[in-house]
Amino acid sequence: AQSVSQHNHHVILSEAASLELGCNYSYGGTVNLFWYVQYPGQHLQLLLKYFSGDPLVKGIKGFEAEFIKSKFSFNLRKPSVQWSDTAEYFCAVMRSSNTGKLIFGQGTTLQVKP
Amino acid sequence: NAGVMQNPRHLVRRRGQEARLRCSPMKGHSHVYWYRQLPEEGLKFMVYLQKENIIDESGMPKERFSAEFPKEGPSILRIQQVVRGDSAAYFCASSPGGPGQGNTEAFFGQGTRLTVV
């Protein structure tokens, strides 16, 4: 079945540690890729997106993600996390030929200890 | 420019009642998407609407669920005869254009948490 998989369900880090959250998808063809963040009690916010071009995408708040087409991956990274990064992170895929709907991964809860 | 507004934020219904969830898209956005998040799961697409049209309802349950986006007013997700399994967070997203129109970034509302007792 076509899907989006986030490998880490729950991640706990100390402040200043480096972060990498995995995301793999199983769709063939052209895709658009997204990472969203949901802070406690708030709406989903877009961190970054990849449509085409440079596979290394920089987003807000120091986040970046790398699209590796051969691995069907779009991993999220941040070199040094802060306590304020505590949130839930969602990877999502939009098939370019589709109606614009997003297919989400299960989400990763990140807890950063001060 | 207000974001996507959903109301109510929390809704409690008894089994068999109807639930109506409202979504006002961002100003200038004519494309609305509804997603459902069940406990311990990611968001699942339900339906995609443009003004007065349902474009893609492939994620909608076949019975009891309906959605509309009238010419005037918010988009409504309606669940008739709710059951405990309908308890979830329902998110609405809007975008200024649809696929193939250059900008398909979706902006999300804060969600409506439905609890069926």
Side-chain angles (χ1 to χ4, degrees):
Chain A
Q2 298 173 327
S3 66
V4 179
S5 296
Q6 292 181 237
H7 315 300
N8 317 98
H9 194 60
H10 197 141
V11 173
I12 301 174
L13 295 173
S14 298
E15 275 195 314
S18 64
L19 170 73
E20 181 159 3
L21 301 182
C23 174
N24 285 88
Y25 62 94
S26 61
Y27 300 98
T30 305
V31 294
N32 298 329
L33 299 157
F34 305 80
W35 275 98
Y36 283 87
V37 60
Q38 187 177 26
Y39 298 104
Q42 296 190 25
H43 60 281
L44 275 79
Q45 300 173 42
L46 183 67
L47 271 179
L48 47 77
K49 61 187 176 184
Y50 172 81
F51 279 6
S52 63
D54 188 344
L56 184 60
V57 179
K58 295 195 183 297
I60 61 171
K61 305 186 181 187
F63 286 89
E64 65 178 29
E66 185 175 11
F67 171 48
I68 303 179
K69 190 175 182 180
S70 61
K71 295 185 178 180
F72 296 88
S73 70
F74 191 55
N75 292 355
L76 181 71
R77 299 194 291 250
K78 185 171 183 178
S80 176
V81 294
Q82 302 171 316
W83 175 78
S84 58
D85 292 324
T86 294
E88 190 153 18
Y89 293 80
F90 294 95
C91 178
V93 172
M94 180 195 303
R95 298 175 66 188
S96 295
S97 60
N98 215 330
T99 56
K101 66 186 181 189
L102 294 165
I103 310 299
F104 283 87
Q106 309 93 308
T108 297
T109 301
L110 172 64
Q111 183 182 352
V112 180
K113 294 184 175 181
Chain B
N1 188 7
V4 178
M5 304 300 292
Q6 289 188 248
N7 69 81
R9 291 288 308 279
H10 301 274
L11 181 61
V12 179
R13 285 287 178 264
R14 296 187 184 279
R15 280 180 297 172
Q17 291 185 318
E18 178 180 286
R20 280 182 180 243
L21 289 62
R22 293 174 183 77
C23 169
S24 296
M26 288 181 70
K27 189 176 181 181
H29 288 193
S30 59
H31 300 256
V32 166
Y33 300 80
W34 284 93
Y35 293 84
R36 176 167 64 174
Q37 184 179 26
L38 294 168
E40 304 299 320
E41 295 186 19
L43 283 78
K44 299 278 193 271
F45 168 79
M46 299 182 76
V47 63
Y48 163 39
L49 310 103
Q50 294 179 30
K51 284 285 186 180
E52 301 184 276
N53 288 305
I54 296 175
I55 307 301
D56 181 351
E57 56 181 350
S58 58
M60 287 281 268
K62 300 299 180 193
E63 297 177 347
R64 302 187 296 108
F65 284 72
S66 62
E68 62 177 10
F69 189 16
K71 187 176 180 180
E72 301 291 337
S75 175
I76 306 287
L77 179 67
R78 182 180 175 209
I79 311 172
Q80 296 177 290
Q81 299 175 324
V82 295
V83 301
R84 287 227 171 101
D86 297 332
S87 295
Y90 292 82
F91 290 92
C92 170
S94 73
S95 69
Q101 295 180 22
N103 185 348
T104 53
E105 178 180 338
F107 295 81
F108 282 80
Q110 291 186 293
T112 294
R113 300 195 183 279
L114 172 66
T115 302
V116 179
V117 297

